[in-house]
Amino acid sequence: MPRPAFHLSVCASFLLLSLPLLHASPRVLSVDLASPGKAISPQLLGVFFEDLNYAADGGLYAELVQNRSFAYQATEQPSWNNLSFWELVNQGGKGSLKVESAFPLHPNNPHYAVLSVETVGEGVGLSNGGFDGIPLKAGDSYELSFFAREQHFGHRWNDVGKSGPLPLLARLVARDGTVIAESSFEIREREWRRFSATLTPARSEQGARLVLLGKARGGIGLDEISLFPKNTFRGRPNGLRADLAQAIADLKPRFMRFPGGCLVHGNGLGNMYRWKDTLGPIEQRRQQSNLWGYHQSMGLGYYEYFQFCEDIGAAPLPVVAAGVCCQNSGTGLGQAGLPLAEMPAYIQEVLDLIEWANGPVDSPWGAKRAAAGHPAPFGLKYVGLGKEDQITPVFRERFKLLHDAVRAKHPEITFIGTSGPFPDGEDFDKGWAIAREERVAMVDEHYYKSPQWFWDNLGRYDSYDRSQSKVYVGEYAAHDDKRRSTLRSALAEAAFLTSLERNGDVVHMASYAPLLARRGHTQWTPDLIYFNATEVYPTLNYTVQRLFGENRGDHQLHTRLEPTPAGALDGQPAPAASSPAGQSLPPAAAAAPKLAFSTVREALTGDIILKVVNGENAPQSLLLRLENAKALPGSATLTLLAGDPDLANEDGKSPVVEPRVSTLKLAPELPYEAPAHSLTILRFKGR
Ligand code: AHR
């Protein structure tokens, strides 16, 4: 047996080398370095941001105050009301806190708080502990803002002429009651006015509260009480949490799909996500409940999504409902369609979105984008129409109306249709049938399946008809036992990603789902990145996504494995026999050892990148044959992720498995032993 060229001393901890090899003699993995290979879509790897698991409010959106505009309702969570997460603070005085709606700040923002101070004492006010406590860093700046008006108090207006302005103190207060930052204001007017200040806490605190304290007898109306770290991602106002945004940016996503998920088509027709509601000053945005059982402040709206995409170099991919709501709507109605009479207006809404994103500054919607601070077009190229919809006549009629209209006006945009919630079955087949009949440019496929399913489906796209719609794998994740984010699941996804690279000419985009989940507020597992108020906990699945993002290619190079398992294509294990109607797949082969691979070339650097995934309990012995090289460098960079498949990262601890980087001496033929449960990435300059 040839001596392994790379000795895995770095992985001694999991003792996998002591396991027997799967094959006594190595199989040959040949890469044709001269093959032109299929082009891989530059957009292949992206992210899917879904407002689920407190991904927006309490997550990526950096707002630190919860329920800032007194909009929470019992329909979102039975114990909630307009004053949820607010408390009356009484420091030796007497007063009350209630919610009113007689003089709203804006019709879209109907509720506000009224603080009545009857006896001042040391102050009477209201306080908010944010999302599980407000985290503050000593010396950092925090931008406080709120709207206030003098409020009718008792039988008469507070008499400004006699009693003077109403003093109001804003404080950041530590858990032990220490005031760690303070600013004072005077409320003089009976009209709403915005107040702001920068607060700099004197010490760090994990669980602070924001307190607004009335210091004179009188009534004060308060709304849109907001506190942001100044240090948002790229310093954007109304911006994003820097650490979470950076974790997403580090994936180097080429696109970002948003804002959902089920959230998009919504819980009943009245709950569809309507992009226009998310524009403009935050206090004027129309908020609504999130079908995942919480609230959408819409502070993270379309402007913020598009700006984030631009900041991280990702193409924006907004998804709009196809005129129907979610078939699983809790309204009891199931799927319902907008009345046909409303479809023209709805279609116009989608056309307006395209104009808002791409139109010139003198177009009606382009002007709104420019007024918001972005005169240059955002360069929108993709729009999703519908998502995981049940493919019914109601859906079909509305999808066709929408698709026909937007495609006719915007042939330059790629519109993406849906194939229902599952990777096969009735909706899947019907969704694809529509795609063929309507010549939909791209179809969104979703699969949440076991790691084994991913291994069994490595050949899924090998025989997709290249003349039909392209594929966007919009949501996928390998669901391991207890839905843990294990190395086993991450490697199954890695294996699947090699099959997408190999089929980059038909699969144009792919995104893991869901992306974010706040600990303690999670409705769906597994997720790619967990977090709490101050920390970010990437999973091993995240590590795989990052490695693929860092090692993407523009062309695939022919790579074959010999001996080849029966039924396999280009050396890959054969697929399971599931395919969209009209697509043909070869029959499933007998179980082959779990080994997946792909080779790509990165145009910018000229680098060759070979990825090998071993999903077996034992090492697999290979002879790497680098064919038709004009010249080979002396060595390659070898990145190895390997370990016990049951391992999963634990919050706050070092990753259980980390990629190890070493150097591998190159030769036209070299033995390589792929460790059990491993992803190997070999990168070298090649011609
Ligand atoms: O990603 C979680 C959910 O799974 C999404 O909202 C939905 O599209 C899918 O069913």
Side-chain angles (χ1 to χ4, degrees), residues 292-461:
W292 294 104
Y294 58 101
H295 186 79
Q296 303 180 73
S297 75
M298 302 301 187
L300 173 50
Y302 262 40
Y303 186 86
E304 291 76 22
Y305 280 122
F306 274 76
Q307 183 62 68
F308 181 49
C309 288
E310 187 173 270
D311 284 345
I312 63 174
L317 196 180
V319 187
V320 298
V324 299
C325 67
C326 180
Q327 58 268 19
N328 304 316
S329 281
T331 52
L333 293 173
Q335 184 188 71
L338 289 172
L340 288 174
E342 289 179 25
M343 279 306 287
Y346 185 72
I347 290 166
Q348 189 57 47
E349 206 174 299
V350 181
L351 292 172
D352 290 345
L353 167 61
I354 298 168
E355 184 177 291
W356 175 82
N358 289 353
V361 292
D362 56 1
S363 63
W365 283 94
K368 291 187 202 291
R369 181 196 67 241
H374 202 288
F378 276 119
L380 177 66
K381 291 189 184 135
Y382 303 95
V383 177
L385 304 179
K387 85 95 239 171
E388 280 198 12
D389 297 293
Q390 196 177 3
I391 313 297
T392 60
V394 171
F395 165 83
R396 196 196 161 99
E397 187 170 20
R398 283 151 188 81
F399 176 85
K400 185 169 165 45
L401 286 170
L402 178 59
H403 184 242
D404 284 353
V406 293
R407 186 176 47 178
K409 183 127 192 230
H410 291 285
E412 77 285 6
I413 302 272
T414 299
F415 294 100
I416 305 174
T418 176
S419 57
F422 306 112
D424 45 32
E426 190 181 338
D427 290 320
F428 183 83
D429 291 344
K430 286 181 176 169
W432 267 98
I434 292 179
R436 272 191 300 278
E437 283 158 32
E438 303 299 332
R439 302 200 161 277
V440 178
M442 215 184 283
V443 173
D444 184 10
E445 296 191 354
H446 293 180
Y447 17 90
Y448 297 100
K449 293 286 193 178
S450 69
Q452 185 61 47
W453 184 93
F454 282 83
W455 282 102
D456 289 343
N457 280 271
L458 294 183
R460 181 180 177 90
Y461 295 111

Side-chain angles (χ1 to χ4, degrees), residues 566-568 574-577 585-590:
L585 292 179

